[in-house]
Amino acid sequence: MTTVSTPGAEPPVVPAGHKPAAPTAPAPGGPGIRRVAIASCIGTTIEFYDFFIYGTAAALVFPTVFFPALGATAGTVASFATFAVAFIARPVGAMLFGHFGDRIGRKKTLVSTLLLMGISTLLIGLLPGAETIGVAAPIILVLLRFAQGFAVGGEWAGATLLTAEYAPPGKRGLYAMFPQLGPAIAFALSSGTFLFTGLALGDTNEAFLDYGWRIPFLLSIILVAVGLYMRLAIQETPVFQAEREARAAAPVEKRTLPFLDALRYQTKEILLSAGALAIMFAFFYMGTAYLTSYATKTLGFSRPFVLTVGIISSLVFGAAIVLSALYSDRVGRRRVIMISCGFSVVWALALFPLLDTGSPVAFVVGMMVTLAIFGIAYGPCGALLPEMFQTRYRYTGAGLGYNLAGVLGGAIPPMLAAPLAASYGGIAIGVMLSVLGVLSFVCTKALVETRDRAL
């Protein structure tokens, strides 16, 4: 494969005559790639399971448990505001964990993000409600949600870098797909856990609000233990090892901070990738969090029905990720993501009129298509972002682009959705999403294709 330099980036500083030592980890495409792929998939599944059970609880439980004095509409807005806090924290986490991921390694950093996420989620499950400790309850909830977002901010880039930097030529989309499958599996697990918890309690609302919702949060600590075992068993990537050795041999005055390098040389790529992936986040978090609330509170569907639809939709979501990632190895990442953006512009306008028919079938179709469109974009982006940045600040640059997209698409639309629906109806949400889809299409078109770049 021909090496293509990243636009706007300078090559790593390597002293004259310096030849990096051979990596001790398996070479790209070796047998270690299978272990790395599985470990990355399990890791992102656990991280996003913890992240998503919060979204489900924000839709079903938190307005009553933590914001009982605000009423139904205001309580829902406040609940989703705490949901959005994590997206504000994600770019901060991307900068901090990106720095350490680019300096000390992908593996060590990912162990830290997993521990932070697991502890934060466990503490949310143990947090008393507003009736017990008053205003302290929502304040502590916001702080723990910030910690969750902080951890996820450093998780995604590291997990995708592990697989992308190990992947053999021509198969980077395939292997970078494995951490991308984590959210689909996690959504099925989170919906299933809440469903079975409700069924075990006989769907008694009082019991579910009192302690039933806490069970998924407490069980997450078991998954964290499994994830730690898998992550401690993998090796650092050969690409990063070679870069670390080159950097160690460079003169001290030539060593710079990854964050400053990313902003200095590739600000354009960071901003364009954030805009390109914004509609992806909007569709995902509208589909996984807001539609759960809309279906139960506005459309009047039962909680077990909505959660069952979530489990089924996650299968469609996962299939879309697999197919789009594989197709991106053939036609390019940019083209596949543009297709997703184009679908999103049209579907956003049709979604809420379809849902407002009140038909259960319409809700099933609405959830499935929304997550499928998201999956089409999500599959290729696991390879796209690592390909866009130089090794010495790849963790930081990829993490910043991805998590800034989370702020634009994942934080703002869920907060605006409830008041827009209350004032103008569901169609107003569709217009908002459609405009965001146009923005993402334009930004994606402005990107340069990266499929044939060497890492």
Side-chain angles (χ1 to χ4, degrees):
M1 181 182 347
T2 302
T3 301
V4 183
S5 60
T6 304
E10 294 183 355
V13 178
V14 181
H18 173 70
K19 183 178 180 180
T24 57
I33 182 62
R34 289 185 289 274
R35 176 183 291 180
V36 170
I38 295 171
S40 294
C41 182
I42 291 175
T44 53
T45 297
I46 294 165
E47 293 262 13
F48 279 93
Y49 168 81
D50 288 356
F51 203 72
F52 294 156
I53 56 177
Y54 189 102
T56 304
L60 300 177
V61 177
F62 288 172
T64 303
V65 174
F66 293 104
F67 305 99
L70 297 180
T73 300
T76 300
V77 173
S79 181
F80 278 111
T82 68
F83 181 79
V85 163
F87 293 94
I88 307 302
R90 286 173 69 157
V92 183
M95 287 186 286
L96 179 65
F97 287 116
H99 171 83
F100 289 108
D102 284 323
R103 282 303 175 94
I104 68 174
R106 291 40 167 141
K107 171 184 172 178
K108 293 178 181 178
T109 305
L110 286 172
V111 169
S112 300
T113 63
L114 189 61
L115 282 172
L116 178 59
M117 174 61 83
I119 293 170
S120 303
T121 304
L122 178 65
L123 291 177
I124 291 175
L126 297 172
L127 181 62
E131 291 185 358
T132 304
I133 61 174
V135 71
I139 293 175
I140 297 173
L141 180 68
V142 169
L143 293 176
L144 292 174
R145 181 58 175 169
F146 188 91
Q148 280 193 319
F150 196 67
V152 170
E155 163 67 24
W156 181 87
T160 54
L161 260 59
L162 275 179
T163 52
E165 290 182 345
Y166 263 110
K171 294 185 178 181
R172 199 175 295 135
L174 165 64
Y175 284 105
M177 167 197 77
F178 282 91
Q180 301 301 83
L181 283 174
I185 301 170
F187 185 47
L189 287 175
S190 63
S191 298
T193 306
F194 274 101
L195 174 63
F196 292 128
T197 299
L199 294 176
L201 296 173
D203 205 30
T204 303
N205 197 51
E206 291 77 9
F208 186 78
L209 292 175
D210 185 30
Y211 63 87
W213 68 269
R214 300 178 184 276
I215 296 174
F217 288 85
L218 301 179
L219 289 176
S220 69
I221 200 65
I222 300 174
L223 297 177
V224 170
V226 175
L228 281 175
Y229 173 78
M230 291 297 298
R231 286 200 165 164
L232 290 171
I234 61 176
Q235 293 177 294
E236 190 56 76
T237 69
V239 173
F240 175 77
Q241 288 190 37
E243 170 62 26
R244 180 169 54 189
E245 291 162 4
R247 184 171 58 242
V252 174
E253 63 272 14
K254 293 292 186 179
R255 302 175 191 175
T256 56
L257 294 176
F259 172 69
L260 295 180
D261 276 353
L263 290 182
R264 179 182 179 185
Y265 299 120
Q266 291 193 261
T267 302
K268 175 183 175 182
E269 285 79 5
I270 291 172
L271 295 178
L272 282 178
S273 59
L277 302 180
I279 188 61
M280 178 186 81
F281 276 96
F283 262 54
F284 183 51
Y285 291 104
M286 290 296 292
T288 57
Y290 181 75
L291 288 188
T292 300
S293 174
Y294 193 80
T296 54
K297 292 180 171 60
T298 303
L299 302 178
F301 295 136
S302 69
R303 185 166 60 231
F305 169 74
V306 174
L307 292 172
T308 301
V309 173
I311 296 171
I312 297 171
S313 298
S314 68
L315 301 177
V316 178
F317 172 29
I321 290 173
V322 172
L323 293 176
S324 63
L326 294 175
Y327 196 58
S328 76
D329 277 334
R330 297 179 58 187
V331 303
R333 329 296 183 203
R334 177 172 166 268
R335 183 179 299 180
V336 176
I337 295 175
M338 286 176 65
I339 291 172
S340 173
C341 293
F343 283 148
S344 72
V345 174
V346 178
W347 181 247
L349 297 175
L351 175 59
F352 282 90
L354 177 67
L355 295 176
D356 288 341
T357 62
S359 165
V361 175
F363 176 71
V364 173
V365 172
M367 180 76 89
M368 285 184 175
V369 175
T370 300
L371 290 180
I373 292 174
F374 164 73
I376 293 172
Y378 199 61
C381 80
L384 170 71
L385 289 180
E387 291 167 346
M388 289 174 63
F389 298 96
Q390 289 288 311
T391 304
R392 71 184 189 276
Y393 53 78
R394 181 172 292 138
Y395 201 130
T396 304
L400 278 174
Y402 182 83
N403 289 294
L404 286 174
V407 174
L408 183 58
I412 298 174
M415 280 197 300
L416 296 180
L420 281 175
S423 301
Y424 306 105
I427 188 63
I429 303 175
V431 172
M432 172 185 68
L433 294 175
S434 186
V435 171
L436 196 58
V438 172
L439 170 66
S440 290
F441 184 90
V442 172
C443 289
T444 305
K445 189 172 179 60
L447 290 173
V448 177
E449 179 54 56
T450 61
R451 178 185 54 165
D452 295 325
R453 284 184 183 163
L455 296 185

